[in-house]
């Protein structure tokens, strides 16, 4: 095994260990839903049926549930104490994807039809709502003495996620130029709420359920939120340059939808000829065709937007590492967390 593949193998083993622990409880939770809702939840989770068999190519990475387990272990508790939290974050993550696909009009997710495309918008909304409610119920029923604090932690994250999603949608109604134009700092704040809140919930929830001190909970939550910003930055890169075979979505997907993503905003913030030409494409009206989308992607790269987004992801990954370094954590679990972090940004889907 070469050094380049060893970290990936370690991360994959960690994800597999955590998935093996969480999957039976997740299946049991989904089976509590109305049969039709359970069917849609299973589809959203990438399963062939509610019993939890995965469709090839549709399996999520399970990063959030793994972080919840690992952060409980890092706080000195057994993995089992975080089981309810891991199920909760996986359900919340899945419900957010179901609603996000509908709001963005994305017809595919993980190489298969998105839930709203397969079942219809109304049923998809209902399935997402059901998973969100089930997540809260699972956490309320946790035998941990800290269940109440865990539910409050989840509620804070859900509030932030809704705020971030609202900002993301509202950005679409704002102009590309002038005083109402979306700035990079605004986008960063949106990403911290929309994506960082759930990753911060995942890391902090493990510590809460482990009965960790408040400083440890806060530090792990901060680490997760930085990971969320890094994760969103990579999502933005994949939305423009991702391989459809990996992402399950058309190339230049975000450009065709005129999404105000970090690479675009960073490119427009530069005083370069490429930025001016890019603005011309974005403000030309209508949906960019294949040629315009390819040209826009080239101009974003020429103006430095791609490199700036890669730096943004790395900077927040580094800050997450700093958060871990500042805490007194169990070494083995902390090493497993650190091994997972590059996996979040050096990914293809």
């Amino acid at each position: 095994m070469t050094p380049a593949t060893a970290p990936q193998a370690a991360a994959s083993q960690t994800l597999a260990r955590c998935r093996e622990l969480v999957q039976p409880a997740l299946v049991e939770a989904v089976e509590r839903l109305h049969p039709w809702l359970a069917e849609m939840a299973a589809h959203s989770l990438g399963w062939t049926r509610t019993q939890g068999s995965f469709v090839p190519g549709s399996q999520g990475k399970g990063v959030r549930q793994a972080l919840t387990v690992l952060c409980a272990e890092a706080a000195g508790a057994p993995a089992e104490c975080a089981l309810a939290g891991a199920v909760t974050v996986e359900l919340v993550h899945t419900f957010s994807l179901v609603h996000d696909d509908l709001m963005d009009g994305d017809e595919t997710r993980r190489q298969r039809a998105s839930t709203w495309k397969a079942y219809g918008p109304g049923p998809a909304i209902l399935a997402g709502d059901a998973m969100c409610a089930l997540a809260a119920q699972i956490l309320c029923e946790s035998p941990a003495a800290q269940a109440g604090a865990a539910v409050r932690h989840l509620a804070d994250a859900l509030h932030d996620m809704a705020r971030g999603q609202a900002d993301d949608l509202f950005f679409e109604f704002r102009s590309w130029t002038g005083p109402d134009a979306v700035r990079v700092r605004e986008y960063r704040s949106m990403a911290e709420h929309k994506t960082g809140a759930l990753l911060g919930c995942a890391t902090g929830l493990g510590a809460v359920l482990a009965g960790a001190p408040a400083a440890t909970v806060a530090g792990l939550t901060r680490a997760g939120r930085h990971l969320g910003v890094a994760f969103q930055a990579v999502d933005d890169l994949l939305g423009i340059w991702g391989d459809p075979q990996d992402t399950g979505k058309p190339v230049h997907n975000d450009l065709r939808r005129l999404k105000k993503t970090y690479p675009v905003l960073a490119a427009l913030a530069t005083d370069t000829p490429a930025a001016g030409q890019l603005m011309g494409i974005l403000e030309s009206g209508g949906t960019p065709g294949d040629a315009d989308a390819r040209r826009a992607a080239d101009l974003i790269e020429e103006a430095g937007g791609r490199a700036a987004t890669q730096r943004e992801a790395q900077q927040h990954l580094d800050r997450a590492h700093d958060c871990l370094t500042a805490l007194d954590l169990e070494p083995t679990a902390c090493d497993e967390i650190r091994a997972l972090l590059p996996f979040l940004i050096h990914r293809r889907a």
Side-chain angles (χ1 to χ4, degrees):
M1 182 178 293
T2 65
T5 61
Q8 295 175 359
S12 295
Q13 289 171 2
T14 296
L15 291 172
R17 174 177 73 86
C18 295
R19 185 181 296 112
E20 185 177 351
L21 172 70
V22 176
Q23 185 70 4
L26 183 58
V27 170
E28 183 180 345
V30 169
E31 288 177 339
R32 295 167 59 171
L33 295 171
H34 180 285
W36 191 38
L37 297 174
E39 178 185 329
M40 288 187 281
H43 177 91
S44 306
L45 286 157
W47 303 348
T48 57
R49 54 188 188 277
T50 56
Q51 285 73 27
S53 300
F54 285 104
V55 175
S58 295
Q59 181 175 337
K61 302 174 186 66
V63 169
R64 291 157 188 81
Q65 64 184 18
L67 286 171
T68 302
V69 170
L70 292 172
C71 286
E73 292 179 326
E80 289 73 16
C81 84
L83 192 54
V87 170
T88 292
V89 296
E90 195 65 17
L91 287 170
V92 169
H93 175 52
T94 305
F95 114 75
S96 70
L97 294 180
V98 170
H99 284 188
D100 198 47
D101 285 343
L102 178 54
M103 285 183 273
D104 289 344
D106 286 337
E107 298 185 357
T108 57
R109 167 72 61 180
R110 297 173 185 160
Q111 308 293 345
R112 68 194 307 195
S114 55
T115 306
W116 76 267
K117 190 65 176 177
Y119 292 92
I125 292 171
L126 184 60
D129 291 346
M131 283 187 278
C132 184
L134 179 62
Q137 186 177 38
I138 294 295
L139 200 54
C140 285
E141 294 172 356
S142 169
Q146 296 79 20
V151 172
R152 288 191 294 274
H153 191 78
L154 172 65
D156 288 342
L158 290 171
H159 174 84
D160 274 0
M161 288 171 63
R163 173 181 171 179
Q165 185 65 37
D167 279 339
D168 193 30
L169 288 176
F170 189 59
F171 286 170
E172 297 180 14
F173 299 98
R174 293 174 58 179
S175 63
W176 288 104
T177 58
D180 192 45
V182 180
R183 311 300 178 187
V184 168
R185 57 177 173 76
E186 293 179 279
Y187 188 86
R188 184 180 294 117
S189 175
M190 179 280 295
E192 182 183 346
H193 289 94
K194 177 186 174 182
T195 309
L198 182 54
L199 275 161
C201 180
T203 52
L205 203 52
V208 170
L209 291 169
T216 301
V217 173
L220 288 173
T221 300
R222 281 195 300 274
R225 291 179 79 97
H226 282 302
L227 289 177
V229 179
F231 195 94
Q232 184 62 56
V234 175
D235 260 6
D236 289 350
L237 291 171
L238 294 174
I240 298 177
W241 294 283
D243 186 338
Q245 293 299 315
D246 296 317
T247 65
K249 298 180 181 180
V251 67
H252 304 144
N253 191 50
D254 282 354
L255 290 176
R256 287 190 179 84
R257 291 167 46 212
L258 296 174
K259 288 278 290 184
K260 294 180 175 71
T261 60
Y262 196 98
V264 178
L265 297 176
L268 292 176
T270 65
D271 184 18
T272 61
Q277 294 172 48
L278 174 63
M279 184 66 75
I281 293 175
L282 297 174
E283 291 195 314
S284 62
T287 302
D290 289 348
D292 280 341
R294 284 195 299 271
R295 178 59 178 155
D298 290 343
L299 290 169
I300 292 166
E301 186 156 15
E302 185 180 337
R306 187 172 188 171
T309 308
Q310 291 167 335
R311 289 194 300 273
E312 176 79 358
Q314 187 60 54
Q315 286 169 2
H316 283 279
L317 187 69
D318 292 343
R319 291 173 189 170
H321 277 290
D322 292 342
C323 289
L324 295 175
T325 300
L327 298 172
D328 182 16
L329 301 173
E330 195 281 324
T332 301
C334 189
D335 286 345
E336 286 189 276
I337 296 170
R338 289 185 184 279
L340 273 187
L341 301 194
F343 188 82
L344 289 171
I345 65 169
H346 301 302
R347 57 190 174 90
R348 299 171 63 88

